[in-house]
C-alpha cells in the first residue's frame, strides 16, 4: 500500500463507501503494506536498494529455473550466485539470454540496461590467485547493481611492492573491497594507505590452521587499520552489496 | 616530503648544491616521504582521512599524558578512547580544556573547531541498555571526526515494534551503526528495512553461551540482510571510523 | 510389575506360596518392572508419552527393515526419520503401506489411526526456503504423534514485514517451532510477538562463519526473548517431540 | 492503541474532527499500538504473557532504583534477577516491601497478589549442591509468574538411586526444569523417565574441560531423550519463563 | 643388550679382548640395548605388555601386506584395526588363516594360541546400537590381548531401567569399558553403580552440536563419578589396551 | 538396607508384624536401599569402593564445617580437596585432629586407621615443578583411600635423561599417574617405557596457546602410547580414585 | 632499479637529458624498483633468498602448465608442491625433464644445477610412518633450495629408545625439522637433546580429538624445550624454507 | 659423567679396583651421564646450548630465591623471566648485583662476562607500543645468551611506510624476531622483504575477537611468506632462544 492508496482508503471510508470493520482490516498491517506491493522483487529494491538475488548453492536446477522463470516474466534483471558450471550449462539452453561468468560462478540476465547509480568506482583487490573466484563474484555483483568497477589481483603482503606500485589506483576508488585468505593481512595494509571505506572479505583459501577461513576472518576483525569492516568468509556477493550502498551515499 | 619539496631537492641537486650521495639518501624512501611530513598525526590524516587517536586501555596515565602533551603542542584535536573514569579524573587537572564523556569512556580536547565534512547523518542504534557504552563510543568518535549524529537506544528484536516505530529516523540517516550483544540479531532486521550501509558492532554483553560476544559476532557475520558489514566486538570506535569514511564518499 | 502385581507377590509370599529367596529375586528390580512390560516400544510410550522412532541415518536398509518388521508385527505405527530417498525406494516394495515424505526425508506407516491427543495446533515457522527440510521433519513428526499442525515458510528477519503479516496465525497456535539457519534471529522476534512456548531449531544452513549451524545455535541460546528454548542443530524431530509433550500439558 | 481507541479514531476522522494527515500519522504504527499502551510493562505482559523483569547484573544500584521506582509507581510487581547481596542490602532501605532471596540472588516486590495462572506444578530438579543458585532463580521466577512449584536437589547421575527414589514427584509435575553442571547428564535420565516437557539448564559449575558450562550445554543439546529442550548456561530465569508459558498451554 | 650380554662385554673388556674405545661405543646406548632386541614386535611386548598392532586406516593394502608378511614370518599373532571390508577381502586371499571381524573392522591371525593373562573379565557396555562398531573393536582387541570378555549393548541413559537390569553383570566384571556417543552420559551412571575401574570411550555418533564426538568427550571428562578415565574419540582399541593392562595388575 | 535387613523385613511382614502397605512403602526403592543405608557416606563406599569426599572449591567455610561435623559424628575419615589455606586455617581450630596438606591444598581427618587395600604402589610422576600441586592432590587422595605411594617430580620430556634414570622406579609401580602441563607429552613417553596402566592428568600450567590445559589434554588424548587413559584438567583427585580402583583389581 | 641505475638516472637528470617530471615519475617507486626487475621470480630470489614455488593444490593442470611454461622459458628451476599423482602424470608428457617425487607429492625440473649454498645438513625427523609425506615434502624442498639433507623416520616418543639410538645423527645436523602428528611430542624431546634450531611441523595425522592436527600444533607451540619454532599443519614446504634460510646464516 | 670419567671407570674396572656389579650400576644410565654432570645448569648448556633460566610467573619469592642462591653459589649467570616488579624489588635487597629490566619484566645477574657467541645481530621488530614488553623480553634474553641485538618498535602494517623506511636495518640482521598482536600481519610483510630467518611472536594484545592472541597466532601460522616460524603467544623468551641457536649455525 502506497501513501496514495492509503489516502484513498481513508477518503473512501469517510465517504461511507467501506464500513469500519473493513477499513480496520485493511489498516492492520499498514506500515508494511505502506511499502507497497505484492512482488517480492520490487519490494526489496524499494526497501533495501537492490533487487532480489538467487543464491544458487544447494538449490536444484528445477528450483532455480522456477524462480528465474517468474522473474523473467516480470522483466527483471537476474543474478544467480554460487552456481556450478554444470548447472549453468543446463540453464543456458532454457535462457538463451543468460551469461555465465565462470570464474565468479555467477549467471546474469539483463533484460533491461543496468542503471548506473554508483557515484564512483568500486575497486576489488585480491591477495592471491586462489582468491580470484571470490573477487570475481564481488565484481559481477557490483556491476549488476549498477556500479563502475576495476580490480587488482595478486598483490598479497608477502610482496608488498606489488601493492605499493598500485597506489594511484587505490586512491582513485570510492570504495575498496579487499579479498584475502590465509592470514588475511591485506585489508590492514590497504586500509593504512587510503582514506576510503575498505570492506574486507576473508576467503577459505589456506590449509591446516587457516581453519577454512577463520584465520583470515579473525585477522580482518582485529585489523589495526581503523575503518575496515568485514563480511562472512567467501562472501564476495555481500561485500559488493555493501559497497553498492556505500557508493550511493 | 611534499611534491614541492621533492622538486626543490631535484633542482638543488641539478644546480650542484648537494652531492649525488646526499640526494640518493634523501630519495631512498621517496614514495612515503612524498606523503609528507615527519609528524605522525598529520601524516595519518592525509593518508587515512582521520587524525591519530589514543587507545587508552592498557596505557598508564603517564604514557597518555606524554602523548597528549605532544599533540596539544601541535594544536591538534585529541580523542582518547577506553579511558577509565579515574584516569580521566587525573588528566582533567592537567588539561583543563578536556571533556570526559563518561558513558563512552572517551576524553576529547577540541583546540580548533571540528570541521563538518560528513555529507549526512550517522545514526547509532543499540539493542539494549547495556550496549550503550559501545554505542556512545561510536557517537563521540563520529562527532569528533566531523559528522552529524543521532541515536536510538533499546530497540532490540524481542520487542520489534519499538524499532518499527522509528522507521523514519532510520530512513533519514546516511549510514547506520547497529550495536547489539546477546544474539546480535538487530543488524539483520535494520538491514532489511533500509537501503543504507549498515555497520554492525557486536558487544560483549551477555553470559554463558554468548562467549564474550562471539554469539553476536557470528550472528552478524551470517546476517541474511545483504549489505551488513561487521567490526570487532565492542569496537564502537572502529565502526565510527568506517562510518566517517562512508559519510564522505 | 504393576502395583497390583506387587501386592499379589507379597500376599503369595505371606501365604508361603513362594519362598523368601524367590521373593527377593523378583523384588530386586522392582521400581522398573513396576513400569511394566518386556516390550521396549510400549514401554517407551508409557514412560515418555511417545512411541519408539527409528533414526535412519547411518543404518543400513537391512537393519531398518529388521526393526520395522518387528514393529509391524506388533501393530505399531512407525516413523523412520533421516531416511534417504534411495533407501525409502527400496523399502516401499517391502512395505506397501508406507508413505515417504520426501521433503522431510521421513517414512511413516500408520497401521492404526493416529489418536489426536494434542490440545491445540503446533505451528512450524521457517526463516528460509533452505530450512524447509528441517521444518518438514518437525511437521511430519508432530502429526505422527497426534497433533494438528500448520506452517509458515520463508519469513526471515531480513524482510520482517512478511512475519508481521502472519501475526494472527502466530497468535492462534498453542506451541510454535521456529526453524532458522544463518544468524538464527527469527525465534527472538517470534518470541517477542507471542505469549506461547517457542522452540527454536537451528539449522546447518549457511556457509563460512555459520560453522554448520553453530552461529544459529548460539544466537538462539542467547535469545533476548525470555521463554525460547533450543534443540540441537537440524533436530526437527526433537523439536516436535518437545512440542508434542507441551501440547498435552 | 486498543481496538476501541482505533474505532474512535476512525469515527472522529469520518466526522471530520481530525484531518486526513493527522489520521495518517496516528495510524502509521497501527499494528503495534493496536496492542495497546505506552507502558512497556503492560505491553510486554499483553504480548508475551509475562511482566518486564530487571536483569540486575552489570547495572548500578542507581540504575536499578530508577527503574524500580517507575514500576512501583504503576503498582506493578517487580522481579530483579542476578542481584548481588550487597546491592540488595542497599535497596532494602529504599523499598521496605522488598524480599531478597539470597540463594537465588533475586529480589521481589509484590504490590498485588500474584495471580495463579499455571495449570500444574513446575518441578525444579538439580544435580549437585553447587547448582542450587541457578535452580533457586528458576523457582523464584516461576512463583513470581504465578505457578506452583516444588524442587528436588542433589540427585545427580553418579548416584542414580537418589533420582529413582523421587519418581512419583517427577510424575506429578506438569513441567520439569533440570539444572546440572559438569557433564550435564541429568536431563537425559529425567527425560527418559517421564512423559512431561523437560527444560534443561546447563550451569557453569565444573572446572577444566567443563569450559564454564560448555560441556553441560553440549551434553544437553545432544540428549538422547527426545523432548528435552535447552536454555543458555546458568539461565534459570529463562527456563522458568519457558516453563511458565508451557504451564498455561 | 640383556644384562647377561652386558656382563660378557665387561668381562671381554677386562680380559683385553676388546679395546676401551670399542667398549665405549657399545656401552653408549646401554639402557635401551639393555631391553634387548632388534625386533620391534618383541621389544614392545617386553616393554609395554602387548604386541605391535597395525593401524589399518590410511595404509594401502600393499603396506599392510608387507608388514603382515614380516610378522607372519616371525610366528607372531597379528591384529589389524580400522581395516575396511574391501581391503580385508583382498587380504583374505593372501592370508588364508586370517579372520575378519566385520562389525569391529578388525582382522586377526592367531598363529599361536592366545595366552590368557587377564585376571578377570573385561565387560564392554555400549549406549546405542550405532556405538557397536567401537565396542566391537574393543572386544576383539581385548580378546586378542588375552582376556575374557562379555558385553551389554543398547543400555543408554534415556531408558535407565535397561542398565539397572544388568547390575549383576556390571558387578561381576573386573574392568568395564563404556562406549557412548551423543551426550556421553553412560559412564557416569555406570561409574556410580560399581566399584571397578571404568574406561569411557566417546564415539563420533551424533550430529549437529555433537561435533563429531566432542560433546561426548567433554561429558566423560567432566564425569561426576570419580574413577572414570577417558580415551580418544572412537578409540575402542586404546580402551582395550588400557583394560588389558589393568586386568593384569 | 542390607540383604539381611531385607530378609528381616520380609519375615516381619510374613509374621504379620507390619501391614502390607508399610511393607510396600519400604520396598519401593528396594534395589537401592538394598545397597544399604540412609547414610550417604557408607552407601558410596559400598557402591563405589571409596568414601564420600568433600570438594572444597566454591563452598563456604560454614558449608564445609556442616558436612564435616556430620561425618565426624559418624566416625568417618574425611578428605576435603581444593581447600584454600585460609579456609583450612579457620577449620583447624574447630577440628584439632585435622591435617592440612598445603601443597596439595587438601585437609584430612583420620578417625580410624586407613585400611591398606591396594595391591601395589601407586607412583605419581610430574613433568614440572609447577605441576606439583596437582600431583600432591593425587598422592594425598591415593593414600587416604588406602594405597602405598611414591613420586618422582620434575622429569619433563625436554630433559628425557631425568626420566630414563628413574626406570626402575617406573617398573616397580602397579599403576602410574603422570601429571603434566604445557604440551602434555610425558604420559606418552612413560607409557612407552612400562607395561603398567598409566593415568594421564593434564594441568592448567602454561600460557598463551596452552589455553588453560587444553593443549596438554589434547596431547594426552592423542597419545601414541596405547594404554594411556586421561582425566579432566587438574583432576589429581580423580586420577587417584581411578588408580585406587585399579590397584584393587 | 639497482643502485647503479639510480645513479645513472640522477646524472642524466643533472645533465639535462631528462626533464624534472620524468625523473619524478621514475623515482616514485624507488625503494622497490631499487630491488630490481619486472620478473617476479628473480625478484623473489633476490628479496627472499629462494625462487618462486608453485603451490599445486587447487590449481588446474592448465593453470600450472601456463606458469611452468613461463618459468621454463626463463631457464628457472621449478618446484611444484602438493601435486596429485594424476596431475603429475599429465604434466610428465609436456615436460619430459620433470621428476615426480610421489611420496612428497612434488614435481621438480632442474634446468641448471642446484647451487649448494647451505652450510650444513638439514635433518628431517618424523614420528610415524604416516607422517612421511610431509617429511618428504620438506626433504625435496630443502634439496631444491640447495641444501644437503638426511632423514630419520618412525622414531616417535612411545618408543623413545629408537630416537636415542640416533643421537649422533641429531648432533651432526645444522638444523632439524621434526614432523609429528597425534600428540606432537617429538619436537620437545629432540629439542631437549640438541643445541641446534628445531623447526616443528604438526601433521594432520590422527583421529578424534586430534582435530586434523590441532592437538599436535598446540603441543608444539607449548613445547617445554626452548628454541623450538613451529609452522602450519602439514607445512613441510614452509619448514624447509625456514631451514634453508637458517642454514645460510 | 664426562667421557674422561667414563674412561677412568672402565680402566678402574679393568685393573680390578671395582667389581663387575658396581661397574654395572654406574654404567646403567651411561648415555646421559655421558653428557656429564650432576648440575642441571651445566648439563643443559652442554646439551641445549643455553643455561637454565628461571620462569618467574607463578613462583613465590621464596622459591625463586632458593633457586637463585644455588645458582649464584656455582658462579652461574642468572636470568629470571616474567618477574613482577614488586617481587624484583624484594630480590634486589638480597642480590645487590641483580639488574631488573622493568619493561621486559626480567632480572639478570652477570657473575661472569657474557660470552659473545652469536655470529650476527638479532633484530627485534614490534608492531605496536603495547607489544614492547614481549619484544623487550626477547631482547634481554638474546643479550643474556651472548648475542648482539638491535630493535625497531611501532612499525605496524597500518602505516607500512614506517617499516619500509627501516629496510636497511632489516637487511643487516642475521635473524629477525617480529612481535605483533591484533591481526599479527607484520611477520608476513617482513618475511617478504628479507632473506633472513623470521621468528614470529604473537602477543595477547587486542580485545574481542583477538581472543587473547589467537587471531595473531593463526595469522602468523598462515603467513604467506615462506620461511616464517612461530612461537607461543607472548613467548619473547622462546623466540630469543631460537634466534640464539640460529645465530650460531
Amino acid at each position: 500500500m502506497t501513501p496514495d492508496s492509503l489516502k484513498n482508503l481513508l477518503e473512501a471510508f469517510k465517504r461511507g463507501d467501506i464500513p469500519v470493520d473493513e477499513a480496520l482490516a485493511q489498516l492492520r498491517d499498514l506500515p508494511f503494506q505502506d511499502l507497497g506491493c505484492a512482488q517480492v522483487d520490487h519490494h526489496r529494491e524499494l526497501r533495501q536498494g537492490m533487487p532480489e538475488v538467487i543464491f544458487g548453492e544447494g538449490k536444484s536446477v528445477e528450483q532455480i529455473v522456477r524462480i528465474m522463470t517468474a522473474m523473467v516474466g516480470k522483466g527483471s534483471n537476474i543474478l544467480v550466485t554460487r552456481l556450478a558450471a554444470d548447472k549453468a550449462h543446463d540453464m543456458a539452453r532454457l535462457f538463451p539470454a543468460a551469461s555465465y561468468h565462470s570464474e565468479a560462478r555467477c549467471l546474469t540476465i539483463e533484460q533491461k540496461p543496468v542503471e548506473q547509480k554508483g557515484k564512483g568506482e568500486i575497486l576489488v583487490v585480491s591477495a592471491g590467485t586462489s582468491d580470484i573466484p571470490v573477487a570475481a563474484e564481488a565484481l559481477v555483483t557490483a556491476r549488476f547493481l549498477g556500479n563502475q568497477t576495476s580490480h587488482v589481483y595478486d598483490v598479497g603482503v608477502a610482496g608488498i611492492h606489488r601493492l605499493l606500485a598500485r597506489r594511484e589506483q587505490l586512491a582513485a576508488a570510492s570504495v575498496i573491497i579487499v579479498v584475502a585468505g590465509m592470514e588475511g593481512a591485506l585489508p590492514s595494509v590497504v586500509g593504512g594507505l587510503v582514506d576510503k571505506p575498505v570492506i574486507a572479505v576473508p576467503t577459505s583459501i589456506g590449509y591446516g590452521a587457516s581453519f577454512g577461513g577463520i584465520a583470515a576472518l579473525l585477522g580482518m576483525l582485529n585489523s589495526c587499520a581503523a575503518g575496515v569492516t568485514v563480511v562472512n568468509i567467501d562472501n564476495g556477493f555481500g561485500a559488493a552489496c555493501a559497497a553498492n550502498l556505500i557508493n550511493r551515499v
Side-chain angles (χ1 to χ4, degrees), chain A residues 125-132 152-157 159 162-163 166 179 186:
Chain A
V125 179
S126 82
T129 49
S130 304
D131 301 316
I132 290 178
V152 180
Y153 286 168
D154 198 21
V155 291
V157 299
R162 297 176 296 184
L163 178 68
R166 310 301 282 267
V179 180
L186 189 56

Side-chain angles (χ1 to χ4, degrees), chain A residues 5-25:
Chain A
S5 61
L6 176 58
K7 281 195 180 176
N8 291 343
L9 170 65
L10 289 174
E11 298 295 354
F13 169 70
K14 192 173 187 177
R15 285 191 309 269
D17 291 358
I18 57 174
V20 67
D21 285 339
E22 187 186 331
L24 201 60

Side-chain angles (χ1 to χ4, degrees), chain A residues 191-245:
Chain A
L193 292 173
V194 301
D195 59 351
K196 299 295 161 45
V198 170
I199 300 169
V201 190
T203 72
S204 52
I205 295 303
Y207 62 91
S210 93
F211 301 133
I214 297 181
L217 171 62
L218 294 183
M220 292 170 178
L221 287 168
N222 286 285
S223 174
C224 52
V228 172
T229 59
V230 187
V231 297
N232 197 0
I233 297 165
D234 290 336
N235 191 6
F237 165 72
C241 291
N244 170 60
L245 295 176

Side-chain angles (χ1 to χ4, degrees), chain A residues 1-3 5-6 9 21-37 43 47:
Chain A
M1 185 177 282
T2 62
S5 61
L6 176 58
L9 170 65
D21 285 339
E22 187 186 331
L24 201 60
Q26 289 199 36
L27 288 167
R28 185 177 302 276
D29 291 318
L30 195 64
F32 311 104
Q33 292 175 357
D34 197 347
L35 289 168
C37 68
H43 184 174
R47 213 176 65 244

Side-chain angles (χ1 to χ4, degrees), chain A residues 71-88:
Chain A
M71 294 176 75
V72 163
K74 288 172 194 156
S76 302
N77 286 345
I78 294 173
L79 168 61
V80 189
T81 63
R82 305 224 171 179
L83 186 70
D86 56 342
K87 290 185 185 173

Side-chain angles (χ1 to χ4, degrees), chain A residues 28-96:
Chain A
R28 185 177 302 276
D29 291 318
L30 195 64
F32 311 104
Q33 292 175 357
D34 197 347
L35 289 168
C37 68
Q39 284 192 332
V40 175
D41 310 323
H42 296 170
H43 184 174
R44 179 175 289 206
E45 187 144 22
L46 286 178
R47 213 176 65 244
Q48 290 187 275
M50 44 199 162
E52 179 98 39
V53 171
I54 303 168
F55 185 77
E57 197 168 282
K59 291 205 179 70
S60 67
V61 168
E62 289 68 29
Q63 289 175 310
I64 300 173
V65 165
R66 197 164 55 224
I67 302 173
M68 284 177 67
T69 303
M71 294 176 75
V72 163
K74 288 172 194 156
S76 302
N77 286 345
I78 294 173
L79 168 61
V80 189
T81 63
R82 305 224 171 179
L83 186 70
D86 56 342
K87 290 185 185 173
H89 186 260
D90 292 352
M91 286 171 190
R93 285 174 299 192
L94 294 169
F95 301 95

